[in-house]
Amino acid sequence: MAVRHYTLDFNLTAPADCSATLKGLQSVFQEQEMTEAIHNLEDHGYLATYIGKNGRFAILRIHPHGFVSIDLQSCEGSDNTEAYNLLNALEEKMKDLLHNNIKRIKRLPAIVRGGAVDRYWPTADGRLVEYDIDEVVYDEDSSYQNIKILHSQQFGNILILNGDVNLSESDLPYTKAIMGSGKEGYTGKEVLILGGGDGGILHEAVKLKPKMITMVHIDQMVIDGCRKHMRKTCGDVLDNLNGDCYQVLVEDCVPVLKKYAEEGRTFDYVINDLTAVPISTAPEEDSTWEFLRLILDLSMKVLRPSGKYFTQGNCVNLTEALDNYEEQLGRLYCPVEFSKEVVCVPSYMELWMFYTIWKK
Amino acid sequence: MAVRHYTLDFNLTAPADCSATLKGLQSVFQEQEMTEAIHNLEDHGYLATYIGKNGRFAILRIHPHGFVSIDLQSCEGSDNTEAYNLLNALEEKMKDLLHNNIKRIKRLPAIVRGGAVDRYWPTADGRLVEYDIDEVVYDEDSSYQNIKILHSQQFGNILILNGDVNLSESDLPYTKAIMGSGKEGYTGKEVLILGGGDGGILHEAVKLKPKMITMVHIDQMVIDGCRKHMRKTCGDVLDNLNGDCYQVLVEDCVPVLKKYAEEGRTFDYVINDLTAVPISTAPEEDSTWEFLRLILDLSMKVLRPSGKYFTQGNCVNLTEALDNYEEQLGRLYCPVEFSKEVVCVPSYMELWMFYTIWKK
């Protein structure tokens, strides 16, 4: 059973008369037959708790510098109207008490805590966002990661790996961006996809009549989950691991890349769609940056001189991470050049950077 | 001075031993020298408050059905590390106490309450989203509405009218969508824009060499604010209310539309960019739907037989509102047809519906 957490905040234009504010609001809680406990925090104002029926409670915090906050928590399923009525009564009382002294009144949408469906998936830059998720479609741990597929009312199913939003069924702009934003001709080309377990890139690339696509993904369970629940993204390409012009290898990409490099096998396009924090069984993965450089170096080795390497960066706000990434590009075994593009991926709730890299 | 509100929630696989959990966690709070007050809620578990120094406090709520929540509020500027250390210690203790009985541990990004900059602007479908806002650029009340322009790290400046996110400087997809998504030829055409005070449509339309654009916007202060602070959106088109191929009338659009209808003046394109809850001084505005139909009827009267009427709908999740809108289209003075398109507007954090309407 989930808890609904309501907030109601007042910014005042001047320091508050704490005890007068407390006295004024007490009557509202008393009308609700809530049991009061007051803590006088001296220089820091007041904290008061009010306990109602069915485990419902409210926290009133009066800060002397001119901020009053109210928290109300009640079990989901209990009457929402009751909560709203209490908040409305408190707001009215505050307006009576302080009228022109109120600068801002703020209520956040109620936060649902402990629910069966978790609607809160922070952005890469650490902001709180609530998704319109109404169903847990899939939730399993593989040997490598936690795999969730959640249904969003507007985005369709969303793949979430270890708590990171990877891709929704509405995120074709992600797939197009990591394939070069329509500026590349795939017809007759040889393509290597690293990661890409949701099948989105494979599905789009197959339509473009390439000579051969090799996709290397480590986690069979991601492929299986997406084949079943992300069909707007992958179509039927994951139904078989081998198709007319593609093969899917369920393996760690590092040894595969090493083998290709040794054999001198090369590709026109290498698309790195590994998750933000890449997963590998290789011992080289001492640090994320070293792993990233390992993948980049190996990828450059299997990239034809005229070839292109595509990858996602990160959200545009993580400028330090992006700068670090670009710095790594100057430390590869061969000199490279790159371009970057900012793209709006619908389900990400933040702008995302994509890179195209090629040999000088 | 803002307050940082931290949360830490535990979903258990089975009902909790409330008093054992309480006793286990008490020691963690005691180490922090926080003053305890325990409320036994009988069938509903426990509520405990812990008061620390500098007005910092924590709320521990133990629900017997298997949910434990912790809230921690401390003044911004005080040491965040201290808060994280306490939360980490509580999480470790819970794992010790309940190890395999914990189904999910959830921390939300800390919520900043009462800050000078308000980062929380709910979506049209009522979800909580935090924006990367770092500066209040403009905040004024006009005769019609509250006008805010806030700076977002990734989106640039954002225009917010009466608390609704209207447009950011990264929202060219909005402007393109409400102009017909590039499917219309504007060269040599006569265009009427209703609203559009941010100047985005005017700026884009002027580039397409129309014969004449007339924009009717009621609120001079919106135009002035956007001219100054939304220049990536409006360019220099708002620097003068009259240009080579455009004029801006700072008026209520209803009497203007009536006058045009009486005079028999017509347009190739009518673009309704009025805010979601339209503003008018006209007495007809008894209800939003009647007002919407009034605007639609008047717009159809000034639309040439071959003309198109473009407008935003609402977020795709508000299906009832969209259905109602489409129903209104069947109740106009003349029969119309329409098409609709779902567009991702970067700063909206939700998919948005746009309509194209024409006379049958």
Side-chain angles (χ1 to χ4, degrees):
Chain A
M1 193 160 54
V3 166
R4 289 177 71 85
H5 183 152
Y6 305 85
T7 62
L8 173 58
D9 295 341
F10 302 89
N11 280 60
L12 309 183
T13 51
D17 179 340
C18 294
S19 73
T21 307
L22 178 64
K23 280 206 186 74
L25 294 177
Q26 277 177 321
S27 61
V28 180
F29 290 109
Q30 278 159 7
E31 277 164 28
Q32 302 276 327
E33 293 173 9
M34 297 179 95
T35 307
E36 179 183 67
I38 296 175
H39 305 273
N40 186 337
L41 309 186
E42 306 296 342
D43 287 353
H44 297 285
Y46 287 97
L47 171 71
T49 60
Y50 295 90
I51 297 171
K53 56 181 192 291
N54 298 322
R56 186 166 74 120
F57 71 96
I59 306 291
L60 168 64
R61 180 76 177 86
I62 304 174
H63 295 265
H65 66 267
F67 178 59
V68 176
S69 72
I70 293 160
D71 290 85
L72 174 63
Q73 293 190 32
S74 59
C75 282
E76 208 172 34
S78 65
D79 196 355
N80 288 345
T81 326
E82 223 171 271
Y84 288 118
N85 287 346
L86 174 53
L87 294 176
N88 291 344
L90 289 164
E91 185 172 329
E92 287 313 307
K93 178 59 83 172
M94 278 293 281
K95 285 178 186 162
D96 283 352
L97 290 170
L98 294 156
H99 38 277
N100 292 330
N101 188 11
I102 300 178
K103 193 161 60 184
R104 185 170 82 213
I105 300 175
K106 185 79 182 185
R107 289 191 201 195
L108 298 178
I111 299 169
V112 178
R113 297 172 65 177
V117 175
D118 186 354
R119 293 165 61 94
Y120 305 91
W121 300 98
T123 56
D125 71 346
R127 286 174 294 110
L128 174 60
V129 290
E130 178 184 356
Y131 283 82
D132 55 350
I133 287 165
D134 51 17
E135 193 193 342
V136 178
V137 173
Y138 182 92
D139 190 357
E140 300 286 344
D141 289 309
S142 75
S143 323
Y144 305 104
Q145 56 204 330
N146 173 263
I147 307 164
K148 284 188 175 66
I149 298 176
L150 307 180
H151 182 262
S152 150
Q153 210 186 325
Q154 67 190 308
F155 297 128
N157 286 337
I158 307 182
L159 174 67
I160 296 179
L161 297 179
N162 282 343
D164 283 330
V165 170
N166 260 245
L167 199 84
S168 84
E169 290 184 304
S170 297
D171 291 344
L172 189 58
Y174 175 97
T175 304
K176 294 206 158 169
I178 205 167
M179 289 176 66
S181 295
K183 285 177 242 156
E184 305 295 329
Y186 278 76
T187 312
K189 297 290 170 68
E190 289 190 79
V191 183
L192 177 65
I193 302 170
L194 311 177
D198 53 62
I201 299 168
L202 186 59
H203 181 47
E204 294 306 315
V206 159
K207 297 178 192 169
L208 304 173
K209 314 274 183 221
K211 184 176 172 195
M212 185 65 190
I213 306 170
T214 303
M215 171 172 140
V216 190
H217 189 92
I218 200 168
D219 196 339
Q220 180 77 53
M221 283 181 71
V222 170
I223 294 174
D224 291 343
C226 292
R227 174 176 51 225
K228 195 160 176 197
H229 302 295
M230 299 283 291
R231 290 196 79 84
K232 271 185 203 148
T233 296
C234 64
D236 58 6
V237 289
L238 298 179
D239 291 357
N240 292 294
L241 296 186
N242 290 282
D244 277 350
C245 62
Y246 70 89
Q247 61 170 337
V248 177
L249 310 177
V250 183
E251 291 181 48
D252 182 352
C253 71
V254 173
V256 174
L257 279 168
K258 285 183 174 167
K259 195 187 64 167
Y260 288 168
E262 276 163 30
E263 293 170 359
R265 183 154 170 211
T266 57
F267 298 86
D268 297 295
Y269 298 120
V270 177
I271 303 177
N272 176 348
D273 187 36
L274 300 169
T275 48
V277 180
I279 292 167
S280 167
T281 54
E284 287 92 340
E285 195 189 346
D286 287 322
S287 82
T288 305
W289 290 112
E290 270 176 50
F291 180 74
L292 269 171
R293 217 167 56 239
L294 172 69
I295 297 279
L296 270 163
D297 261 331
L298 288 169
S299 296
M300 288 304 139
K301 281 180 182 151
V302 304
L303 190 67
R304 293 181 186 159
S306 62
K308 294 266 174 73
Y309 173 93
F310 303 114
T311 191
Q312 57 162 320
N314 214 316
C315 82
V316 295
N317 277 348
L318 293 180
T319 50
E320 207 175 315
L322 297 173
D323 288 348
N324 279 346
Y325 182 76
E326 293 171 23
E327 199 188 294
Q328 301 301 317
L329 297 180
R331 298 171 58 193
L332 303 185
Y333 86 94
C334 66
V336 301
E337 293 183 302
F338 68 92
S339 65
K340 51 188 172 179
E341 184 189 15
V342 175
V343 173
C344 178
V345 179
S347 81
Y348 281 17
M349 314 280 187
E350 58 192 333
L351 298 175
W352 209 253
M353 189 69 87
F354 288 84
Y355 287 94
T356 300
I357 300 162
W358 60 93
K359 291 181 190 174
K360 235 181 200 165
Chain B
M1 194 158 55
V3 166
R4 288 177 72 85
H5 185 152
Y6 305 85
T7 62
L8 172 58
D9 295 341
F10 303 88
N11 280 60
L12 310 182
T13 50
D17 178 340
C18 294
S19 74
T21 307
L22 177 64
K23 278 204 188 74
L25 294 177
Q26 276 178 322
S27 61
V28 180
F29 291 109
Q30 277 158 8
E31 278 163 28
Q32 302 275 327
E33 294 174 6
M34 298 179 93
T35 308
E36 179 184 67
I38 296 175
H39 305 273
N40 186 337
L41 309 186
E42 307 295 343
D43 288 353
H44 298 287
Y46 287 98
L47 172 71
T49 61
Y50 295 90
I51 298 171
K53 56 181 193 292
N54 298 323
R56 188 165 74 120
F57 72 96
I59 306 290
L60 168 64
R61 180 77 176 86
I62 303 173
H63 295 266
H65 66 268
F67 179 60
V68 176
S69 71
I70 293 160
D71 291 85
L72 173 63
Q73 294 190 31
S74 59
C75 283
E76 208 173 34
S78 65
D79 197 357
N80 288 344
T81 326
E82 224 172 90
Y84 288 118
N85 287 346
L86 175 53
L87 295 176
N88 290 345
L90 289 163
E91 184 172 328
E92 286 314 306
K93 178 60 83 174
M94 278 293 281
K95 285 178 184 163
D96 284 351
L97 291 169
L98 294 156
H99 38 278
N100 292 330
N101 188 11
I102 299 178
K103 192 161 61 185
R104 185 171 81 214
I105 301 175
K106 185 78 182 186
R107 289 191 201 194
L108 298 178
I111 300 169
V112 178
R113 297 171 65 176
V117 175
D118 185 354
R119 292 165 63 93
Y120 305 91
W121 299 98
T123 56
D125 71 346
R127 286 175 294 111
L128 175 59
V129 291
E130 179 184 355
Y131 283 81
D132 55 349
I133 288 165
D134 52 16
E135 192 194 342
V136 178
V137 174
Y138 182 93
D139 190 356
E140 301 284 344
D141 289 310
S142 74
S143 322
Y144 305 105
Q145 56 203 330
N146 173 264
I147 306 164
K148 282 188 178 64
I149 299 176
L150 307 180
H151 182 262
S152 150
Q153 211 186 326
Q154 67 189 309
F155 297 129
N157 285 336
I158 307 181
L159 174 67
I160 297 179
L161 297 178
N162 282 342
D164 283 330
V165 171
N166 260 245
L167 198 83
S168 84
E169 290 184 303
S170 297
D171 291 345
L172 189 58
Y174 175 97
T175 304
K176 292 204 160 168
I178 204 166
M179 288 176 66
S181 294
K183 285 178 243 155
E184 304 295 330
Y186 278 76
T187 313
K189 297 290 171 68
E190 289 190 79
V191 183
L192 177 65
I193 302 170
L194 310 177
D198 53 61
I201 298 167
L202 186 58
H203 182 47
E204 294 306 315
V206 159
K207 298 178 191 170
L208 304 173
K209 314 273 182 220
K211 184 177 172 194
M212 185 66 191
I213 306 169
T214 302
M215 171 173 141
V216 190
H217 190 89
I218 201 169
D219 195 339
Q220 179 76 53
M221 283 180 71
V222 170
I223 294 174
D224 290 344
C226 292
R227 174 175 52 221
K228 196 160 174 197
H229 302 295
M230 299 284 290
R231 290 196 78 85
K232 270 186 203 146
T233 297
C234 64
D236 58 7
V237 288
L238 297 180
D239 292 357
N240 292 293
L241 295 186
N242 289 284
D244 276 352
C245 64
Y246 70 89
Q247 61 169 339
V248 177
L249 310 177
V250 184
E251 290 181 48
D252 181 352
C253 71
V254 173
V256 173
L257 280 167
K258 285 184 172 164
K259 194 186 66 166
Y260 288 168
E262 276 164 29
E263 293 170 359
R265 188 159 164 204
T266 58
F267 298 86
D268 297 295
Y269 299 120
V270 177
I271 303 176
N272 176 349
D273 188 35
L274 300 169
T275 49
V277 179
I279 292 167
S280 167
T281 54
E284 287 92 342
E285 194 190 346
D286 288 322
S287 82
T288 305
W289 290 113
E290 271 177 48
F291 180 74
L292 269 171
R293 216 166 57 239
L294 172 69
I295 296 280
L296 269 163
D297 262 332
L298 288 169
S299 296
M300 288 304 139
K301 281 183 181 150
V302 302
L303 190 68
R304 292 180 186 160
S306 61
K308 294 266 174 72
Y309 172 93
F310 304 113
T311 191
Q312 58 163 320
N314 214 317
C315 83
V316 296
N317 277 347
L318 294 180
T319 49
E320 207 176 312
L322 295 173
D323 288 348
N324 278 345
Y325 182 76
E326 292 170 23
E327 200 187 292
Q328 301 301 317
L329 297 180
R331 297 170 60 193
L332 302 185
Y333 86 93
C334 65
V336 301
E337 292 183 303
F338 68 92
S339 65
K340 51 188 170 178
E341 184 189 14
V342 175
V343 173
C344 178
V345 180
S347 83
Y348 281 17
M349 313 281 186
E350 57 192 335
L351 299 175
W352 210 253
M353 190 70 88
F354 288 83
Y355 287 95
T356 301
I357 300 162
W358 60 91
K359 291 181 188 174
K360 235 181 201 164

